[in-house]
Amino acid sequence: MWRSWSSRPTRNSAWPARHGSSCDAHEEYRSDRRSPTGSRAPRRRGMIAMQDRFLVEEQFANDFSGLDPLTIGEVVKLLAQPGVILDAPKLAGEWSKVLLGLSEVEVPERDPQYGDVAWRENAVFRRLAQAHLAWAQWLDGVGDEAGGTWESKERERYVKNIVTSTLSPANIAATNPAAIRKAIDTGGKSLLRGGRTFLTDVLKNGGLPRMTDTAPYEVGENVGVSAGTVVYREDMFEIIHYTPSTELVHERPLLFVPPQLGRFYILDLAPERSLVEHAVSSGMQSFMLVWRNPRKDPQTGDGTWGIDDYVAAVVRAFDVVTAIAGTDDLNVLGFCAGGFTSALAQAHLTAKGRNPVHAATYLVTMIDTRRPNLVTPLSTPGTTRQIEKLAKKNAVIDAQRISSHFAWLRPQDLIFGHVINNWLMGEAPRAYDLLAWNDDQVNLTARFIRDATRLMGDGSLVEPGAVTILDTEIDLTALTADKFVVAAQTDHITTWRPCYMTARLLGGETEVAVTNKGHVQTVVSQIAKSRQKFWLAPADTDDPDEWMAGAQEIAGSWWPVWSEWLSKRAGDEIASPEALGSRRYPPRDPAPGRYVRE
């Protein structure tokens, strides 16, 4: 057993999930659009003809793109499996049916690549689509290693989705009927516009198409607009104190802890779509921790920020908020990595003999990684070596590189749908606030990536005392605060079953809500005109599927149920404070503050 995570040899280290960057905004923007193979996966932008995965990754050791574990070696390994060769006649038979017009392969109507009607009504294009989809379905069904681990199977699906999504005839102007029709209707101007857009994206967007028009959105103007003021600022974070909107507020304050991997205003996206707004209108004294975007200038020292630094920062935030509210304790809401960090802060304080958190909410927060998820399977020794090298250099990873990696997690929705719209059709991307937030990326320190992946890589956090943070042994089972755990049924990063297990890992009474949406849309769960539903029940079993079978299905947003749960744990009602902050922590800049603009 090891005692310090910072010196522990790693097993199954993996890139941490980014709630904001691998944005599932397309769950709403492109509802019900799915991969023909049903999988989600990122893709390496440059493939090298080399079968040895580790040699390839070593070659990219000084480039963040090398952190992506996929190489041509993985593809060769997949295609060389005996099952691929033995099952090839089945594919040949289906292709024969396609050629003769007898295939029953369905071309989906709601699909980012095959949405145009010509893919179903034109005989030539229907055959092209059916041939590709038949191949994707065939590849999805072959090559699975008998008795293989779930990690190996997930990694295989990861590779399959890359190959099939990339090699679609819809991605080529000459074989895309919508692009051809558009070019004819515009006299070729659509191709010229698309060509200019392509060159711009190559030069300014890392070679990927823009997902949305961000121009209409400005933080503090029409996104992130909840009234408040910055009451605390230090090098790593700011704290916003929000203006109450009710005459009475609950005595115990609520602190939001967003992920380090995205801008905080996903929790305060827009009026009627803001969880902060809902909390404030429910009488909660609400505060927001705003992480500073790590600067790439080595003189700032931001590259030294690791998990210890972030946990210590959360502890300081606890102290500031309770001092302003004049209380001994507080409630906390952590989103994804923010929930992960706040849980570690609570465990650290508990080991020190105090824990000021009375009740905790965890949104799509995965701590126990022993059940299928997207984090663990993408771990390789090669990625571990490269992250370690960058961490030793105190490197700060550029936001654009991070964004491109997470975009490849869902290539059909986040890449090729926009390739078709922007490059082949010559259309401008649509304006959409959730995608604009997704485009507003942040840097990450290599040390944080290294530390988070070590902690999550092999599930050691579930073992009391196996991990040390800030010189204290971490025992998450010792946390006694009541919990409200929210998971997302279609989350492709922190999948819902491991998130459910967060409720079983931590102590205290627990309520669990599983929404029918994805990672980010679960947070933006507006009440009015809600198309969501969720399942609700206490976490009374270690089997997530057994829990789901017995949970109550409820139509609408989970926000009202959560705020009612929280109000019972938020203390007595008192008169709203006449001023924000306190004498020790006076008001500074108006919300949304300074750091969100860096």
Side-chain angles (χ1 to χ4, degrees):
M1 182 182 298
W2 55 286
R3 290 297 172 189
S4 174
W5 59 263
S6 59
S7 60
R8 184 188 184 190
T10 60
R11 179 177 68 85
N12 286 338
S13 295
W15 172 247
R18 182 180 194 303
H19 357 309
S21 182
S22 52
C23 171
D24 62 311
H26 287 65
E27 295 290 337
E28 178 176 329
Y29 182 61
R30 299 181 185 277
S31 61
D32 298 326
R33 295 185 177 184
R34 297 290 182 266
S35 161
T37 62
S39 55
R40 302 279 194 269
R43 172 187 180 268
R44 169 170 295 289
R45 288 176 290 167
M47 289 190 172
I48 301 173
M50 186 182 299
Q51 294 188 30
D52 191 330
R53 175 182 65 206
F54 304 115
L55 288 178
V56 174
E57 290 172 343
E58 191 70 24
Q59 186 167 337
F60 284 88
N62 295 320
D63 187 322
F64 183 64
S65 63
L67 296 181
D68 189 331
L70 283 184
T71 65
I72 191 64
E74 292 282 0
V75 179
V76 171
K77 177 183 176 182
L78 169 64
L79 297 179
Q81 289 186 22
V84 173
I85 299 173
L86 293 175
D87 209 40
K90 181 179 179 181
L91 175 62
E94 188 59 45
W95 275 348
S96 298
K97 292 181 181 179
V98 169
L99 184 62
L100 296 172
L102 302 176
S103 175
E104 296 181 358
V105 172
E106 181 180 354
V107 181
E109 294 184 16
R110 300 177 65 87
D111 185 275
Q113 292 177 304
Y114 295 122
D116 190 83
V117 66
W119 289 111
R120 285 167 294 282
E121 295 185 355
N122 181 282
V124 174
F125 292 114
R126 183 176 65 252
R127 284 171 169 81
L128 280 174
Q130 286 179 321
H132 172 255
L133 293 170
W135 172 62
Q137 293 169 7
W138 168 81
L139 190 62
D140 190 51
V142 301
D144 291 326
E145 297 179 8
T149 64
W150 67 262
E151 290 94 341
S152 66
K153 293 178 180 178
E154 286 296 321
R155 189 178 296 112
E156 189 169 288
R157 279 192 285 270
Y158 175 99
V159 176
K160 289 174 179 177
N161 198 40
I162 289 172
V163 175
T164 57
S165 296
T166 303
L167 300 180
S168 166
N171 301 332
I172 304 172
T175 53
N176 186 310
I180 294 172
R181 184 170 60 251
K182 187 76 170 182
I184 294 173
D185 291 345
T186 62
K189 291 181 180 179
S190 62
L191 295 179
L192 291 176
R193 288 196 301 265
R196 287 195 298 267
T197 301
F198 167 75
L199 291 176
T200 300
D201 288 338
V202 168
L203 294 174
K204 298 182 178 181
N205 200 46
L208 295 181
R210 287 189 304 136
M211 288 188 287
T212 190
D213 178 11
T214 61
Y217 305 105
E218 184 177 348
V219 181
E221 296 295 328
N222 51 6
V223 291
V225 297
S226 289
T229 184
V230 173
V231 294
Y232 179 82
R233 178 180 294 125
E234 61 163 73
D235 203 40
M236 287 189 72
F237 66 94
E238 296 175 324
I239 292 180
I240 296 173
H241 187 180
Y242 289 103
T243 304
S245 62
T246 55
E247 293 184 1
L248 299 177
V249 295
H250 288 281
E251 184 177 15
R252 186 171 289 117
L254 169 65
L255 174 64
F256 290 88
V257 182
Q260 295 86 340
L261 300 87
R263 301 289 186 180
F264 84 89
Y265 63 89
I266 187 60
L267 293 161
D268 182 32
L269 188 62
E272 298 185 359
R273 306 181 73 211
S274 165
L275 183 55
V276 168
E277 178 188 59
H278 177 72
V280 171
S281 66
S282 300
M284 303 299 167
Q285 292 193 70
S286 300
F287 296 77
M288 177 71 70
L289 187 157
V290 181
W291 296 114
R292 188 171 200 169
N293 187 13
R295 294 155 290 181
K296 290 181 284 185
D297 183 353
Q299 299 300 318
T300 65
D302 294 3
T304 63
W305 297 348
I307 198 70
D308 266 6
D309 301 282
Y310 281 102
V311 169
V314 172
V315 172
R316 294 194 296 276
F318 288 169
D319 293 338
V320 171
V321 170
T322 53
I324 292 173
T327 57
D328 295 327
D329 56 10
L330 77 164
N331 294 329
V332 64
L333 180 149
F335 171 36
C336 198
F340 177 76
T341 309
S342 65
L344 293 177
Q346 293 172 64
H348 162 69
L349 289 172
T350 299
K352 302 287 282 187
R354 75 180 186 97
N355 183 1
V357 174
H358 181 79
T361 302
Y362 298 95
L363 302 188
V364 291
T365 298
M366 181 174 68
I367 300 175
D368 184 347
T369 58
R370 294 174 297 178
R371 291 176 183 268
N373 62 83
L374 190 58
V375 175
T376 307
L378 302 188
S379 166
T380 67
T383 58
T384 302
R385 291 198 303 271
Q386 291 164 45
I387 294 172
E388 187 64 45
K389 289 180 181 179
L390 292 169
K392 287 180 179 179
K393 296 177 182 179
N394 293 332
V396 175
I397 310 303
D398 180 78
Q400 190 175 81
R401 291 183 180 273
I402 295 170
S403 177
S404 66
H405 278 262
F406 282 106
W408 283 111
L409 289 173
R410 292 175 55 188
Q412 279 199 313
D413 285 336
L414 300 181
I415 303 290
F416 293 114
H418 302 291
V419 164
I420 294 168
N421 182 77
N422 304 2
W423 295 354
L424 305 190
M425 303 285 289
E427 297 284 353
R430 290 174 54 187
Y432 183 46
D433 56 5
L434 200 56
L435 288 178
W437 166 83
N438 186 69
D439 192 65
D440 190 4
Q441 296 299 318
V442 298
N443 304 324
L444 280 177
T445 70
R447 283 178 177 254
F448 174 77
I449 297 171
R450 178 199 63 186
D451 297 347
T453 55
R454 282 178 174 176
L455 287 170
M456 297 183 69
D458 59 6
S460 293
L461 279 170
V462 304
E463 182 180 346
V467 171
T468 299
I469 298 290
L470 292 173
D471 299 323
T472 57
E473 293 185 355
I474 298 301
D475 181 2
L476 293 171
T477 65
L479 302 186
T480 58
D482 289 351
K483 303 173 298 301
F484 194 98
V485 173
V486 183
Q489 191 179 47
T490 61
D491 195 333
H492 62 291
I493 304 170
T494 55
T495 48
W496 79 268
R497 291 176 180 86
C499 288
Y500 168 85
M501 294 306 295
T502 296
R504 298 292 295 172
L505 174 62
L506 309 181
E509 295 183 2
T510 303
E511 198 76 8
V512 177
V514 176
T515 75
N516 66 330
K517 292 295 182 179
H519 192 83
V520 174
Q521 267 207 286
T522 287
V523 181
V524 186
S525 181
Q526 68 269 23
I527 298 173
K529 299 179 182 179
S530 175
R531 293 179 293 176
Q532 296 191 14
K533 64 179 179 179
F534 63 97
W535 292 264
L536 181 73
D540 54 4
T541 174
D542 284 335
D543 185 342
D545 294 289
E546 180 182 334
W547 174 90
M548 177 66 80
Q552 178 187 6
E553 182 178 325
I554 303 174
S557 170
W558 59 271
W559 288 359
V561 173
W562 166 74
S563 55
E564 181 180 355
W565 176 91
L566 188 62
S567 66
K568 297 175 182 178
R569 295 161 176 81
D572 295 333
E573 289 187 321
I574 59 174
S576 296
E578 296 181 358
L580 300 181
S582 65
R583 180 175 298 179
R584 182 179 177 186
Y585 301 107
R588 296 171 177 248
D589 304 327
R594 182 186 303 172
Y595 285 173
V596 72
R597 306 181 194 278
E598 292 187 351

